[in-house]
Amino acid sequence: MVELNGVNKWYGSFHVLRDINLKVQRGEKIVICGPSGSGKSTLIRCINCLEEHQEGEIIVDNTVLTRDLKNIEKVRREVGMVFQQFNLFPHLTVLENCTLAPIWVRKQPRKKAEKLAMEYLERVRIPDQANKYPGQLSGGQQQRVAIARSLCMNPEVMLFDEPTSALDPEMIKEVLDVMTELAYEGMTMLCVTHEMGFAKTVADRMIFMDEGQIIEEATPGVFFDNPQSERTRQFLGQIL
Ligand code: ADP
Ligand code: MG
């Protein structure tokens, strides 16, 4: 579903991604962790064409990412993304946030888009908030809207970049529960998160990044109980 071969990226002279190789099968759940500044967000953003890489190859559902606009549009349709800061449109209601892209990008009739949006809002357990504005919701509710909004585009892959890091502790679980359900339904997921309980339940594979490199890649069992790299051990020691 997603494949990265020898991917390198620089910001100016700063080498932010170093020779990244990664294959994600359809339905697989990958959790990526690592210290701040290690390149996790950059990696995720490259998969969604929000950033350009300079070397190597990224393939999403058989499409090789290039700068070709057609290509970028296709990939963006297939790849849903949820950010730390929700990124909802503040001047649109919850329902309008969820129907905007289906109506304008997917050319769905409004009625159909609204029906589908309500189904997803029910799945994330906030159908009653449909006519409110993002500013009237809690952080946890806003993040669930962001997830529902992504799902309305019927993505093949979901990317999560620290979706619970901006939330108060009591709201983290409600977002993780929704993500866990999505995982059990078979969605292909790449999640940057330090929620290790979630990782242990859901991840097929753990990836640890440091200084732009993948340092370790293992099943959760091996990763948490018997990490191979000293840097992984140190990191886990700090966060667990
Ligand atoms: P992480 O998500 O693991 O915290 P990021 O991918 O956000 O790491 O950033 C990796 C490194 O790249 C950091 O040192 C960061 O300062 C740098 N960086 C991120 N975005 C940019 C940018 N647009 N321009 C220059 N440097 C950047
Ligand atoms: Mg980040």
Side-chain angles (χ1 to χ4, degrees):
M1 191 73 228
V2 178
E3 189 173 335
L4 290 89
N5 296 317
V7 171
N8 282 279
K9 175 174 176 61
W10 288 262
Y11 287 122
S13 61
F14 178 63
H15 198 173
V16 61
L17 294 179
R18 297 165 182 259
D19 207 25
I20 301 287
N21 294 292
L22 177 64
K23 274 197 179 121
V24 185
Q25 305 296 328
R26 192 176 285 274
E28 208 177 2
K29 289 84 176 111
I30 309 281
V31 168
I32 302 168
C33 61
S36 177
S38 57
K40 305 179 300 294
S41 295
T42 304
L43 175 67
I44 289 282
R45 293 167 64 84
C46 282
I47 297 173
N48 201 15
C49 305
L50 288 174
E51 296 280 358
E52 275 174 14
H53 59 288
Q54 281 86 41
E55 274 180 15
E57 190 179 49
I58 303 181
I59 307 170
V60 177
D61 199 15
N62 298 316
T63 303
V64 179
L65 303 200
T66 59
R67 273 151 228 178
D68 177 27
L69 263 180
K70 271 231 169 70
N71 222 320
I72 293 179
E73 278 170 19
K74 175 172 183 286
V75 167
R76 294 247 175 94
R77 273 201 301 268
E78 295 196 7
V79 180
M81 172 123 188
V82 174
F83 304 86
Q84 184 176 337
Q85 297 298 345
F86 326 136
N87 293 4
L88 298 173
F89 298 108
H91 60 294
L92 298 180
T93 65
V94 164
L95 189 64
E96 287 163 350
N97 265 278
C98 291
T99 55
L100 188 71
I103 290 172
W104 295 101
V105 181
R106 280 271 164 99
K107 312 290 180 206
Q108 279 181 9
R110 178 175 301 274
K111 277 274 168 314
K112 185 180 168 205
E114 286 179 352
K115 183 165 176 284
L116 193 70
M118 285 311 297
E119 279 172 29
Y120 281 116
L121 289 171
E122 266 159 44
R123 290 239 313 252
V124 301
R125 295 187 270 282
I126 37 173
D128 45 326
Q129 309 294 327
N131 295 313
K132 289 196 183 162
Y133 288 89
Q136 299 172 294
L137 306 186
S138 73
Q141 289 173 325
Q142 290 188 54
Q143 193 59 299
R144 285 183 284 152
V145 173
I147 294 173
R149 178 176 66 173
S150 277
L151 293 174
C152 285
M153 291 294 276
N154 196 20
E156 300 281 338
V157 187
M158 286 286 288
L159 309 175
F160 292 88
D161 191 0
E162 304 207 37
T164 59
S165 301
L167 299 178
D168 292 332
E170 71 271 21
M171 291 167 193
I172 292 176
K173 186 174 177 298
E174 64 192 35
V175 171
L176 292 179
D177 284 349
V178 166
M179 291 171 63
T180 304
E181 270 178 39
L182 198 56
Y184 288 154
E185 286 164 15
M187 180 63 80
T188 310
M189 293 165 66
L190 276 95
C191 311
V192 175
T193 180
H194 293 151
E195 291 295 332
M196 292 305 157
F198 168 80
K200 283 178 190 173
T201 328
V202 160
D204 297 307
R205 246 186 311 155
M206 297 294 304
I207 285 179
F208 173 68
M209 282 184 74
D210 195 15
E211 297 180 348
Q213 285 177 304
I214 294 180
I215 302 292
E216 187 151 354
E217 194 177 337
T219 59
V222 172
F223 187 82
F224 291 108
D225 297 337
N226 191 18
Q228 302 301 300
S229 135
E230 181 52 37
R231 277 197 268 179
T232 312
R233 262 191 293 265
Q234 267 180 9
F235 177 76
L236 290 175
Q238 284 163 3
I239 64 161
L240 290 178

